[in-house]
Amino acid sequence: MKSEDFELISGLLKQRSGLILPKDKVYLLESRLTPIAHRRGLDSLDELVSEVRLKRKEDLLTEITEAMTTNESFFFRDNKPFDLFKDSVLPQLLESRASRKKIRIWCAAASTGQEPYSLAIILKELSAKLVGWNIEIIGTDISQKVLDKAKMGLFSQFEVQRGLPIQLLIKYFNQVGELWQISEDIRNMVSYRKYNLLDPYTLLGSFDVIFCRNVLIYFDQQTKTEVLEKMRKLLPNDGTLFLGAAETVLGITDKFKPVQGQRGLYSTADASMEVIGKLRAV
Amino acid sequence: MKSCLVVDDSKIIRKVARRILEELDFDIQEAVDGQDALDICKNSMPDVVLLDWNMPVMNGLDFLKALRKTEGGTSPVVVFCTTENDMSHISAAISAGADEYIMKPFDREIIESKFVQVGLL
Ligand SMILES: C[S@@+](CC[C@H](N)C(=O)[O-])C[C@H]1O[C@@H](n2cnc3c(N)ncnc32)[C@H](O)[C@@H]1O
């Protein structure tokens, strides 16, 4: 690929999704965009790039942006954040929100749904304790394709074997041919919307917990800061943030603080000692 | 080091499983069918059994039922690893006392993730 072509596409990606594509990942562009060229009846990636350069058609740019996202996800990814959610974050919220009985959770890079569905399963397992509570889980992603898959709740045999205990497969999934579909009552606990993390967060309302896992790794420092600072505005002072195992707020923003001893969990910088104490308790 | 008994009538599967599990620091023994496995267990109980379903002489489910009735046979963690991939087989295995269930084909990641779940890693 010519270097000016690489510059054009990588610039486009950075602008549209925040993705930083290093030069040594040019093979990724080739492997993911060549099929798009062929689908559109073009002979090569070069032709696709000319098309981009000349016409800048919105649907093509969207297709390219979506094709370059990495959507890997698994149920209960890394386990620990989900244990922390169940044992520290949720009990804290059940106490502090006892009069409103309403909790809102945002999975900000939901991909194919494993993360929001893991949370829904945790809540379902605790449903005896949650009678009368209204708990919303909202999953958003920049890619319509993954959201469509998430909504269907259909997973391959390979996907249901990564992170999902067999007891939960038996309890919450139905076999549909070669695939496994998560049950309707779990699906109904999550709503999905297309949302770009680079856009202003005005239409989302406020949240109590944000899962923003394994997406900041693709952004540059400035974008990370902007995203996290916008997220802070959607949280009350006792709200919490979960990041992926390779992500941190350190050196990026002082609006959040790691909760000592609880890997992946962040409180707002304005959280009271009492809240932090509760988050550290388990 | 934890011990793992790999029970499968396919030599190739035993070899693949052995390689993955040795990398995860297990001490491996192999059995070619359920009866062979039961004899080995009666002699010394492994910490974990990776268990195929369809095998000559004694199948995996019959082995599991017999194992759980044997003295000391409730302690090993039993992980099925089989091409039987429908809900009725899975439920039958779990009711008979299996701890986890892997649907073939498997890879290192699936074995690792399942072993983490049952607390072996
Ligand atoms: C690796 S997945 C993470 C899935 C899940 N959170 C997890 O940890 O398993 C990253 C997701 O971020 C999405 N993504 C990338 N850039 C985005 C953006 N600017 N706005 C919203 N979502 C984005 C991708 O489409 C992809 O589905």
Side-chain angles (χ1 to χ4, degrees), chain A residues 17 69-73 77 109 111 115 141-143 195-197 213-215 218-219:
Chain A
S17 72
T69 57
T70 299
N71 312 117
E72 186 182 56
S73 188
R77 185 171 196 166
S111 188
E115 181 176 277
D141 201 283
I142 196 176
S143 158
Y195 216 94
N196 186 341
L197 289 174
R213 304 188 62 223
N214 302 301
V215 65
Y218 302 106
F219 299 163

Side-chain angles (χ1 to χ4, degrees), chain A residues 72 74 79 157-158 160-167 169-170 173-175 178 180, chain B residues 85-87 90-91 94 99-105 107 109-110 113-114 116-117:
Chain A
E72 186 182 56
F74 19 109
N79 287 312
Q157 177 170 303
F158 181 67
V160 297
Q161 300 208 82
R162 294 173 91 191
L164 188 71
I166 199 72
Q167 303 278 6
L169 181 78
I170 296 176
F173 285 76
N174 298 303
Q175 202 162 17
E178 298 273 280
W180 296 83
Chain B
N85 63 358
D86 57 284
M87 196 62 108
I90 298 174
S91 303
I94 299 300
D99 297 281
E100 258 300 340
Y101 200 101
I102 294 169
M103 296 175 260
K104 285 176 185 165
D107 60 8
E109 229 184 287
I110 290 177
S113 138
K114 290 288 181 181
V116 166
Q117 257 151 45

Side-chain angles (χ1 to χ4, degrees), chain A residues 9-252:
Chain A
I9 301 292
S10 65
L12 192 96
L13 293 169
K14 161 128 200 312
Q15 182 213 340
R16 296 180 71 98
S17 72
L19 176 70
I20 299 297
L21 195 72
K23 271 229 167 66
D24 61 342
K25 292 272 169 69
V26 63
Y27 67 90
L28 260 186
L29 273 187
E30 287 163 353
S31 67
R32 294 196 190 173
L33 301 189
T34 306
I36 297 183
H38 291 161
R39 262 204 307 282
R40 290 178 172 251
L42 302 168
D43 283 338
S44 65
L45 185 52
D46 288 350
E47 284 185 28
L48 188 78
V49 176
S50 325
E51 182 102 356
V52 168
R53 183 171 284 121
L54 296 174
K55 301 199 188 133
R56 292 207 162 250
K57 277 228 210 86
E58 186 58 29
D59 68 319
L60 177 58
L61 302 187
T62 304
E63 194 177 351
I64 289 174
T65 309
E66 291 202 11
M68 290 311 298
T69 57
T70 299
N71 312 117
E72 186 182 56
S73 188
F74 19 109
F75 289 99
F76 299 98
R77 185 171 196 166
D78 304 332
N79 287 312
K80 174 91 175 164
F82 295 93
D83 291 343
L84 284 176
F85 171 76
K86 178 162 68 97
D87 300 328
S88 299
V89 171
L90 192 63
Q92 192 269 114
L93 288 172
L94 292 181
E95 235 179 276
S96 58
R97 308 291 189 268
S99 55
R100 268 199 299 151
K101 286 201 164 25
K102 187 172 155 72
I103 296 173
R104 294 187 83 227
I105 304 165
W106 180 23
C107 290
S111 188
T112 39
Q114 285 90 331
E115 181 176 277
Y117 287 140
S118 299
L119 295 170
I121 288 173
I122 289 175
L123 295 171
K124 193 76 182 175
E125 293 275 294
L126 294 171
S127 52
K129 271 199 200 163
L130 302 174
V131 179
W133 283 79
N134 170 3
I135 306 187
E136 255 185 279
I137 306 173
I138 292 143
T140 62
D141 201 283
I142 196 176
S143 158
Q144 188 60 45
K145 200 162 142 197
V146 293
L147 291 174
D148 289 344
K149 180 171 147 97
K151 277 182 212 162
M152 298 281 289
L154 278 170
F155 297 96
S156 70
Q157 177 170 303
F158 181 67
E159 289 167 321
V160 297
Q161 300 208 82
R162 294 173 91 191
L164 188 71
I166 199 72
Q167 303 278 6
L168 296 180
L169 181 78
I170 296 176
K171 217 161 150 183
Y172 296 114
F173 285 76
N174 298 303
Q175 202 162 17
V176 183
E178 298 273 280
L179 301 175
W180 296 83
Q181 186 166 39
I182 200 158
S183 63
E184 198 178 346
D185 49 341
I186 300 289
R187 263 183 284 150
N188 288 339
M189 293 170 73
V190 182
S191 55
Y192 291 101
R193 271 171 74 174
K194 184 165 163 151
Y195 216 94
N196 186 341
L197 289 174
L198 304 188
D199 287 344
Y201 300 170
T202 41
L203 300 168
L204 294 165
S206 64
F207 294 97
D208 302 292
V209 186
I210 300 176
F211 279 75
C212 178
R213 304 188 62 223
N214 302 301
V215 65
L216 295 181
I217 35 170
Y218 302 106
F219 299 163
D220 66 9
Q221 188 92 356
Q222 190 195 341
T223 310
K224 288 179 196 176
T225 304
E226 283 165 12
V227 165
L228 289 175
E229 300 197 343
K230 283 190 288 182
M231 286 185 169
R232 170 64 184 93
K233 297 203 177 103
L234 303 187
L235 290 168
N237 289 348
D238 67 349
T240 43
L241 169 74
F242 283 92
L243 298 182
E247 296 159 334
T248 179
V249 301
L250 299 173
I252 292 169

